[in-house]
Amino acid sequence: MTSLFRGPITGPKAFAIFSSFFVVIIAVNVIMAVQAVRTFPGLEVASSYVASQTFDAERKAQEALGWTARATLDGAELVLTIIGPDGSAPTGVTVGGILGRATVAAADQTPAFAFDGQAWRAPVAVSRGHWELRLDVTAADGTPFRQRLDLMVE
């Protein structure tokens, strides 16, 4: 049995070696491009220009609330703590959000938060890795409070 790699390097053999490098590079690029497009979660807003027109006013209103938000996992339960400037949880708020991976929308879930007097709790199904809670809370006066909170599941 003769080996492809034995003997002198001739024109056809050099062309086969040279072109095989390009075939591998192009194949890898096509696979990576397809994966990038397939896993792209989409746009955050329909028009970034329109969203930018109210950004500063919404940011100032959110900062005026003086809230601090923190999310943790307690087993299979997501625990959201929001502390107001007086040190207690704000009342009369509507809490919502999406828990998911930063780059894969297929893992997104909408937690059903319930207030226990100190924190909002929701059952979730998470696996190991980095998760992100895209929090969307509305204060009693209608002020929106939006924040992204990172969670690491070991």
Side-chain angles (χ1 to χ4, degrees):
M1 181 161 146
T2 62
S3 174
L4 178 66
F5 300 107
R6 290 184 191 236
I9 296 178
T10 60
K13 191 184 284 187
F15 176 74
I17 293 169
F18 185 72
S19 62
S20 66
F21 287 116
F22 283 101
V23 168
V24 170
I25 290 169
I26 291 169
V28 168
N29 282 336
V30 167
I31 290 169
M32 297 302 282
V34 167
Q35 288 289 44
V37 171
R38 190 175 62 80
T39 60
F40 183 64
L43 298 174
E44 294 288 324
V45 294
S47 170
S48 57
Y49 175 75
V50 172
S52 72
Q53 300 304 299
T54 59
F55 178 81
D56 285 332
E58 288 177 1
R59 179 182 49 85
K60 287 178 184 174
Q62 179 171 319
E63 288 175 350
L65 291 172
W67 293 355
T68 303
R70 194 175 120 230
T72 57
L73 286 166
D74 184 12
E77 191 173 52
L78 177 61
V79 180
L80 173 65
T81 308
I82 301 174
I83 304 297
D86 61 354
S88 64
T91 57
V93 300
T94 304
V95 178
I98 296 174
L99 178 67
R101 302 277 191 182
T103 58
V104 182
D108 286 0
Q109 48 191 303
T110 305
F113 287 104
F115 189 59
D116 69 1
Q118 295 181 346
W120 288 264
R121 297 176 174 272
V124 292
V126 293
S127 57
R128 293 182 60 192
H130 178 257
W131 290 84
E132 178 181 80
L133 175 62
R134 293 180 292 277
L135 188 60
D136 191 6
V137 181
T138 305
D141 65 358
T143 303
F145 180 85
R146 295 183 185 100
Q147 202 167 46
R148 290 181 184 217
L149 303 172
D150 291 325
L151 295 162
M152 185 59 78
V153 179
E154 299 296 326

